[in-house]
């Protein structure tokens, strides 16, 4: 099992009745797997805050519940977390937060262990798939014993690496139901103030529990020159690198068991803290007056693999730095990240790239790739839903030299429902001069095409109410004449509407309406090919950015006016083409025609 698989299995075995999440790599698969188990309710929520509130509501009713998100998701959910730590829970509540150490698919590398300290809740850190399973079960028991949410901190390496896992069977648990207690569940200032001392008492009790927990263990070693304090997957790197060194393995890392650390420090000459990514445990240890070394010799970003640890410790000990075995990568043709063949976002960015004197604020999703070649049609991107607020700020904060500049915000359907609606409402309320491109591809595309309220299907594929974006944005105050639903494959129409709306000095919304090519809603059409003898090398089709279009040769010609022009002759990988037709409009010589029959037809097999 992967770590995500193992967590999902443990959630089911623990008798959980409600599980909720919003998709986000590397956390996505936890809820996808959970949804395949019987005997519990699972949902894709519209954002992480809602998912945590759903899970908390179930825990208030005495049911065991689970919530999963990637690290940046807790930024959204923290409003709920910081108060439920005061109320506590009735049924067990475990929050799995998956940190993206190494930035595999995220805009930052923040360390979720801070939330344990900030919210005064325990943090468990598994080191492999078996521990992901074991610690999840332990987290539910801990949550109910201390009536507190518990954070299960994972990283990309835990989430996606597979290992053998020994599992059990489900243990059904009855829910006692919700017990009314306004002084506990209604967090007005007077009630919250009375809960604060209880939270601090709980934290002291949890620290004592951590000191005796089997999840924290001192592992003796014969080489006492350096002892390591470590947690999570960093423990595996330490053990691989220094098998003879003493190690304090912290599986229950918050609250930190200071007495255990003090006891361990006496077993070695120097104490080195190995943690990904921030010097959190290191700072706490030093604050207790215990000498420790950490980020002064180790990097503050990325994974602490053996090829990082061994040279650092060699330098610390004054030993020759070992030569790390490296495998020279095979030379491959560079392939920058791009969108899929026939992606509906290709048409949106092709038209945006034709605009002049424009600033485009983007958002988190597949469409973030619009910043790259050949479009160069996205100027900023920071977080989910931020394109709307940034666009309004760009409008209101524009310099005098930018008074005629067009402002466009690009956002996807799932992201719009996640955090974008409030931004659009703010644009309308504050009379922003912003054109919004709402790219509705009927899926949470970037994380694997999960269902959402935009496609009318629930987590199990069952029929569900579908959002009407045109009606929604009108309800948020956008004038009816400023709302347009456009087929992104119809480039002339899309460009005409975009140019028209960017000239109107008030909020407008352009909604594209083609499904993601990787979901069941997409229906491919007859593919295309290039007639070589007709192709003039104009290269206009290349600007669409479709990866099915390949440049076969380039040359440079001199025009009669003396200007040099580069020509790009192309072919279409017809077996990959789905017949969207985006390349037809820009093709000057009409050299692109349908393929009547493929010699080797390729069929995309989609998971059921």
């Amino acid at each position: 099992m992967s770590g995500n698989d193992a967590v999902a299995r443990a959630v089911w075995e623990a008798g959980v009745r409600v599980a909720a999440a919003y998709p986000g790599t590397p956390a996505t698969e936890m809820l996808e797997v959970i949804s395949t188990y019987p005997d519990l309710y699972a949902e894709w929520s519209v954002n992480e805050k809602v998912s945590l509130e759903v899970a908390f509501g179930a825990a208030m009713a005495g049911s065991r519940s689970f919530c999963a998100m990637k690290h940046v998701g807790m930024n959204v959910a923290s409003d709920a977390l910081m108060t439920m730590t005061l109320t506590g829970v009735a049924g067990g509540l475990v929050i799995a937060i998956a940190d993206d150490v190494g930035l595999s698919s995220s805009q930052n590398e923040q360390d979720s262990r801070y939330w344990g300290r900030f919210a005064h809740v325990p943090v468990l850190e598994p080191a492999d798939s078996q521990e992901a399973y074991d610690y999840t079960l332990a987290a539910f028991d801990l949550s109910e014993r201390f009536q507190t949410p518990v954070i299960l901190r994972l990283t990309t390496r835990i989430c996606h690496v597979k290992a053998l896992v020994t599992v059990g069977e489900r243990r059904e648990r009855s829910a006692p139901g919700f017990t009314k207690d306004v002084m506990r569940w209604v967090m007005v200032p007077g009630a919250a103030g009375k809960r604060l001392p209880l939270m601090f008492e709980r934290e002291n009790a949890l620290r004592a529990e951590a000191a005796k927990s089997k999840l924290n263990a001192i592992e003796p070693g014969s080489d006492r020159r350096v002892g390591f304090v470590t947690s999570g997957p960093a423990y595996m790197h330490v053990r691989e690198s220094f098998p003879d060194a003493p190690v304090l393995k912290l599986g229950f890392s918050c609250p930190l068991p200071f007495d255990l650390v003090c006891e361990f420090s006496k077993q070695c000459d120097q104490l080195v803290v190995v943690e990904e990514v921030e010097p959190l445990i290191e700072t706490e240890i030093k604050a207790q007056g215990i000498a420790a070394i950490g980020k002064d010799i180790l990097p503050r970003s990325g994974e602490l693999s053996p090829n990082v640890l061994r040279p650092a410790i060699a330098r610390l000990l004054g030993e020759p730095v070992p030569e790390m075995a490296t495998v020279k990568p095979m030379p491959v043709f560079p392939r920058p990240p791009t969108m899929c063949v026939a992606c509906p976002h290709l048409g949106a960015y092709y038209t945006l790239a034709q605009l002049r004197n424009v600033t485009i604020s983007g958002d988190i999703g597949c469409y973030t790739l619009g910043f790259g070649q050949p479009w160069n049609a996205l100027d900023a991107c920071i977080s989910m839903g931020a394109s709307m607020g940034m666009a309004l700020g760009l409008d209101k904060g524009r310099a005098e030299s930018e008074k005629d500049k067009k402002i466009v915000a690009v956002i996807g359907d799932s992201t719009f429902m996640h955090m974008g609606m409030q931004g659009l409402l703010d644009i309308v309320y504050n009379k922003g001069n912003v054109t919004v491109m709402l790219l509705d591809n009927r899926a949470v595309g970037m994380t694997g095409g999960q269902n959402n309220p935009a496609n009318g299907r629930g987590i199990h594929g069952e029929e569900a109410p579908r959002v009407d974006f045109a009606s929604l944005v009108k309800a948020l105050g956008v004038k009816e004449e400023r709302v347009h639903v456009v087929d992104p494959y119809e480039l002339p129409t899309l460009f005409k509407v975009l140019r028209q709306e960017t000239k109107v000095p008030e909020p407008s919304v352009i909604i594209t309406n083609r499904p993601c090519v990787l979901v069941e809603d997409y229906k491919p059409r007859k593919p295309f090919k290039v007639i070589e003898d007709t192709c003039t090398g104009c290269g206009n089709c290349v600007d669409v950015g479709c990866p099915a279009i390949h440049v076969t040769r380039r040359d440079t010609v001199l025009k009669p006016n003396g200007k040099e022009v580069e020509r790009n002759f192309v072919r279409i990988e017809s077996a990959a083409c789905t017949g969207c037709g985006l390349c037809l409009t820009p093709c000057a010589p009409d050299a692109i025609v349908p393929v009547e029959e493929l010699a080797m037809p390729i069929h995309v097999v989609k998971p059921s």
Side-chain angles (χ1 to χ4, degrees), residues 232-411:
Y235 163 79
M236 294 298 195
H237 297 316
V238 168
R239 264 287 157 249
E240 180 181 345
S241 304
F242 307 101
D244 298 324
V247 175
L248 172 55
K249 180 180 184 295
L250 296 172
F252 187 166
S253 64
C254 177
L256 190 65
F258 296 125
D259 291 344
L260 191 62
V261 176
C262 186
E263 175 190 344
F264 176 72
S265 67
K266 298 171 184 176
Q267 300 183 15
C268 52
D269 300 334
Q270 298 185 86
L271 198 65
V272 174
V273 182
V274 180
E275 53 187 328
E276 298 171 342
V277 287
E278 297 286 351
L280 185 51
I281 293 174
E282 176 190 347
T283 301
E284 291 181 330
I285 289 175
K286 289 178 176 177
Q288 294 296 308
I290 302 171
I293 301 164
K295 295 304 181 183
D296 39 359
I297 66 168
L298 296 172
R300 288 189 63 168
S301 63
E303 292 186 305
L304 300 180
S305 55
N307 64 340
V308 174
L309 288 176
R310 287 173 182 152
I313 299 304
R315 294 187 192 100
L316 176 66
L317 296 175
E319 298 176 346
V321 175
E323 286 190 15
M324 304 306 298
T326 58
V327 178
K328 189 177 181 180
M330 291 177 60
V332 295
F333 190 81
R335 184 182 183 276
T338 188
M339 299 179 211
C340 298
V341 172
C343 174
H345 304 334
L346 293 173
Y349 279 115
Y350 177 80
T351 52
L352 283 169
Q354 312 307 311
L355 289 183
R356 296 294 175 263
N357 196 29
V358 60
T359 301
I360 306 166
S361 67
D363 227 295
I364 303 294
C366 300
Y367 47 89
T368 310
L369 294 170
F371 82 93
Q373 297 284 1
W375 316 283
N376 302 308
L378 194 150
D379 300 308
C381 175
I382 58 167
S383 63
M384 296 280 281
S387 63
M388 316 297 279
M390 288 193 301
L392 181 60
L394 284 164
D395 174 37
K396 299 300 184 182
R398 67 175 73 212
E400 180 61 26
S401 60
E402 299 174 318
K403 60 183 175 61
D404 297 324
K405 182 157 280 192
K406 309 173 184 72
I407 307 295
V408 176
V410 180
I411 192 166

Side-chain angles (χ1 to χ4, degrees), residues 11-24:
V11 165
W12 177 69
E13 287 186 24
V16 165
R17 300 184 67 180
V18 173
Y22 178 82

Side-chain angles (χ1 to χ4, degrees), residues 248-578:
L248 172 55
K249 180 180 184 295
L250 296 172
F252 187 166
S253 64
C254 177
L256 190 65
F258 296 125
D259 291 344
L260 191 62
V261 176
C262 186
E263 175 190 344
F264 176 72
S265 67
K266 298 171 184 176
Q267 300 183 15
C268 52
D269 300 334
Q270 298 185 86
L271 198 65
V272 174
V273 182
V274 180
E275 53 187 328
E276 298 171 342
V277 287
E278 297 286 351
L280 185 51
I281 293 174
E282 176 190 347
T283 301
E284 291 181 330
I285 289 175
K286 289 178 176 177
Q288 294 296 308
I290 302 171
I293 301 164
K295 295 304 181 183
D296 39 359
I297 66 168
L298 296 172
R300 288 189 63 168
S301 63
E303 292 186 305
L304 300 180
S305 55
N307 64 340
V308 174
L309 288 176
R310 287 173 182 152
I313 299 304
R315 294 187 192 100
L316 176 66
L317 296 175
E319 298 176 346
V321 175
E323 286 190 15
M324 304 306 298
T326 58
V327 178
K328 189 177 181 180
M330 291 177 60
V332 295
F333 190 81
R335 184 182 183 276
T338 188
M339 299 179 211
C340 298
V341 172
C343 174
H345 304 334
L346 293 173
Y349 279 115
Y350 177 80
T351 52
L352 283 169
Q354 312 307 311
L355 289 183
R356 296 294 175 263
N357 196 29
V358 60
T359 301
I360 306 166
S361 67
D363 227 295
I364 303 294
C366 300
Y367 47 89
T368 310
L369 294 170
F371 82 93
Q373 297 284 1
W375 316 283
N376 302 308
L378 194 150
D379 300 308
C381 175
I382 58 167
S383 63
M384 296 280 281
S387 63
M388 316 297 279
M390 288 193 301
L392 181 60
L394 284 164
D395 174 37
K396 299 300 184 182
R398 67 175 73 212
E400 180 61 26
S401 60
E402 299 174 318
K403 60 183 175 61
D404 297 324
K405 182 157 280 192
K406 309 173 184 72
I407 307 295
V408 176
V410 180
I411 192 166
D413 53 347
S414 179
T415 313
F416 182 75
M417 293 179 288
H418 178 280
M419 288 296 283
M421 290 186 285
Q422 300 92 325
L424 178 58
L425 181 60
D426 202 53
I427 290 171
V428 172
Y429 176 67
N430 291 294
K431 302 177 182 178
N433 182 7
V434 176
T435 301
V436 175
M437 289 197 74
L438 202 173
L439 310 179
D440 177 13
N441 65 355
R442 304 182 205 170
V444 190
M446 188 171 64
T447 54
Q450 290 78 20
N451 292 328
N452 65 36
N455 69 0
R457 285 189 298 277
I459 193 170
H460 300 292
E462 75 281 10
E463 187 175 341
R466 182 178 173 185
V467 168
D468 181 337
F469 283 113
S471 298
L472 177 57
V473 299
K474 291 173 192 173
L476 290 172
V478 182
K479 294 178 182 177
E480 185 168 2
E481 61 268 26
R482 299 273 73 82
V483 179
H484 304 270
V485 180
V486 183
D487 184 344
Y489 289 168
E490 296 179 4
L491 295 180
T493 303
L494 181 58
F495 182 67
K496 179 182 177 181
V497 172
L498 182 61
R499 187 169 55 181
Q500 165 193 313
E501 291 305 319
T502 53
K503 291 178 179 178
V504 178
E506 59 182 349
S508 57
V509 178
I510 302 169
I511 304 165
T512 62
N513 63 356
R514 283 281 181 176
C516 170
V517 298
L518 300 180
V519 301
E520 60 187 274
D521 292 324
Y522 184 76
K523 300 295 185 283
R525 296 180 287 190
K526 186 174 288 189
F528 292 95
K529 66 178 181 180
V530 175
I531 303 174
E532 291 185 22
D533 294 340
T534 309
C535 179
T536 61
C538 71
N540 292 342
C541 60
V542 177
D543 293 337
V544 173
C546 178
I549 299 174
H550 296 255
V551 176
T552 56
R553 65 184 176 91
R554 292 184 172 93
D555 65 18
T556 302
V557 295
L558 197 65
K559 297 185 73 173
N561 61 5
K563 184 180 178 181
E564 280 193 349
V565 176
E566 183 183 72
R567 296 189 301 180
N568 294 281
F569 295 88
V570 303
R571 68 178 173 84
I572 291 176
E573 193 69 55
S574 300
C577 176
T578 64

Side-chain angles (χ1 to χ4, degrees), residues 36-236:
T36 67
Y37 285 111
D39 314 320
L40 56 75
Y41 168 81
E43 73 164 44
W44 287 126
S45 305
V46 294
N47 65 30
E48 294 87 357
K49 181 175 184 288
V50 171
S51 72
L52 183 53
E53 289 160 350
V54 169
F56 178 62
M60 287 170 60
S63 293
R64 284 190 166 184
S65 62
F66 175 77
C67 181
M69 61 194 71
K70 69 182 295 176
H71 58 310
V72 290
M74 183 47 76
N75 300 338
V76 179
S78 60
D79 189 27
L81 174 70
M82 297 306 292
T83 301
M84 68 177 65
T85 185
L86 291 175
T87 65
V89 296
L93 171 57
V94 174
I95 308 165
I97 308 178
D99 285 7
D100 193 9
V101 176
L103 297 169
S104 297
S105 61
S106 305
Q107 67 268 42
N108 68 41
E109 200 184 26
Q110 71 188 53
D111 193 329
S112 293
R113 296 176 302 158
Y114 277 110
W115 292 112
R117 279 74 175 175
F118 197 12
H120 304 277
V121 297
V123 177
L124 305 187
E125 294 189 68
D128 60 16
S129 295
Q130 182 67 58
E131 287 190 357
Y133 167 86
D134 294 334
Y135 285 21
T136 302
L137 293 175
F140 280 107
D141 293 336
L142 191 67
S143 176
E144 289 178 344
R145 281 175 55 207
F146 291 91
Q147 296 194 345
T148 178
V150 175
I151 291 175
L152 185 74
R153 192 253 186 161
L154 309 165
T155 71
T156 302
R157 185 162 293 275
I158 301 297
C159 292
H160 290 162
V161 171
K162 292 192 175 186
L164 292 173
V165 179
T166 302
V167 301
E169 294 300 325
R170 181 171 169 88
R171 295 168 290 174
E172 293 292 346
R173 305 181 68 88
S174 60
F178 177 65
T179 301
K180 290 190 177 184
D181 182 352
V182 293
M183 292 304 292
R184 179 180 184 185
W185 301 118
V186 183
M187 282 292 96
V188 293
K194 292 181 173 63
R195 300 289 302 181
L196 280 168
L198 300 177
M199 180 183 71
F200 296 134
E201 288 175 16
R202 182 188 73 205
E203 187 171 39
N204 289 333
L206 283 164
R207 195 180 304 278
E209 179 70 17
K212 63 182 181 181
S213 172
K214 293 181 180 179
L215 304 184
N216 295 327
I218 293 176
E219 299 178 356
S222 57
D223 185 355
R224 296 164 57 97
R225 292 176 301 166
V226 177
F228 296 93
V229 178
T230 186
S231 62
Y235 163 79
M236 294 298 195

